[in-house]
């Protein structure tokens, strides 16, 4: 049975190492949001750096999730002192559980505040795609799908919650 991959990417208004007060709020709630999302039915896993690495995303060991990658349009820092991004990569049993987790609870509250913390880039902030149950998506897969979505709009290859596709390519998701 295919699994749903979800990649999110945003450019923060301030670096993680020296955040502005509002960005600090985002950073402070991150772990709590992750714990809440991980308890949702349909959640399978998310990319985590090996050994709890807290430095640069680019230097961390992400195990089966592959080397950390970002979209070509990200033009901020890549060191622990200059990185100004938030990215997630997760696996779900289906579209409804992922949608419910993202649009309820603490994450819903965070979405309402996203413009306080993130720059408006004109690029999609998330992308979804179906992956075989034997495949762990990588950060590079997420970037590739996000670029595809930006260039071609929603397709069965790369789509959004609003314009979703089912594993067989039909419109509608579920």
């Amino acid at each position: 049975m295919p699994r749903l991959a979800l990649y999110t990417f945003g450019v923060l208004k301030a670096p993680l190492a020296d955040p502005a007060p509002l960005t600090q709020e985002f950073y402070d709630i991150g772990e709590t949001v992750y714990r809440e999302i991980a308890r949702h039915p349909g959640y399978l896993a998310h990319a985590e750096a090996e050994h709890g690495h807290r430095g640069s995303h680019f230097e961390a060991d992400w195990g089966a999730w592959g080397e950390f990658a970002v979209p070509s349009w990200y033009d901020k820092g890549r060191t622990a002192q200059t990185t100004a991004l938030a990215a997630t990569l997760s696996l779900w049993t289906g579209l409804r559980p992922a949608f419910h987790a993202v649009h309820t609870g603490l994450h819903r509250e965070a979405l309402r505040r996203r413009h306080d913390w993130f720059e408006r880039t004109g690029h999609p902030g998330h992308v979804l795609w179906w992956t075989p149950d034997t495949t762990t998506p990588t950060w590079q897969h997420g970037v590739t799908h996000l670029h595809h979505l930006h260039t071609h709009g929603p397709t069965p290859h790369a789509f959004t919650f609003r314009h979703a596709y089912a594993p067989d390519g039909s419109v509608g998701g579920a």
Side-chain angles (χ1 to χ4, degrees):
M1 160 103 30
R3 300 180 298 175
L4 185 72
L6 167 60
Y7 172 72
T8 65
F9 187 84
V11 179
L12 291 165
K13 291 181 176 181
L16 289 170
D18 186 24
L22 286 175
T23 307
Q24 183 66 46
E25 290 174 358
F26 167 79
Y27 188 74
D28 288 346
I29 67 167
E31 290 298 319
T32 305
V33 169
Y34 260 122
R35 282 193 303 274
E36 183 178 282
I37 284 179
R39 290 191 302 264
H40 276 270
Y43 168 86
L44 297 171
H46 72 271
E48 289 186 272
E50 298 287 324
H51 313 296
H53 190 277
R54 286 273 190 204
S56 170
H57 293 70
F58 299 93
E59 296 166 2
D61 178 357
W62 294 92
W65 303 90
E67 184 177 334
F68 189 74
V70 295
S72 60
W73 47 264
Y74 174 73
D75 61 358
K76 300 238 177 166
R78 293 174 183 257
T79 68
Q81 294 74 31
T82 61
T83 298
L85 63 85
T88 65
L89 180 59
S90 57
L91 274 171
W92 298 85
T93 58
L95 187 62
R96 285 189 185 123
F99 181 88
H100 185 261
V102 168
H103 293 283
T104 61
L106 289 175
H107 195 269
R108 179 181 180 161
E109 297 305 313
L111 282 176
R112 289 184 179 147
R113 305 253 342 260
R114 69 185 174 272
H115 298 301
D116 292 341
W117 304 320
F118 292 96
E119 293 180 1
R120 295 178 190 223
T121 65
H123 292 85
H126 78 280
V127 65
L128 301 152
W129 70 97
W130 295 102
T131 186
D133 65 355
T134 58
T135 302
T136 299
T138 66
W139 290 107
Q140 186 58 54
H141 290 140
V143 168
T144 299
H145 284 87
L146 193 68
H147 278 292
H148 187 278
L149 176 64
H150 179 70
T151 303
H152 303 286
T155 68
H157 180 72
F159 52 91
T160 64
F161 284 118
R162 181 171 284 194
H163 301 284
Y165 288 83
D168 67 3
S170 61
V171 175

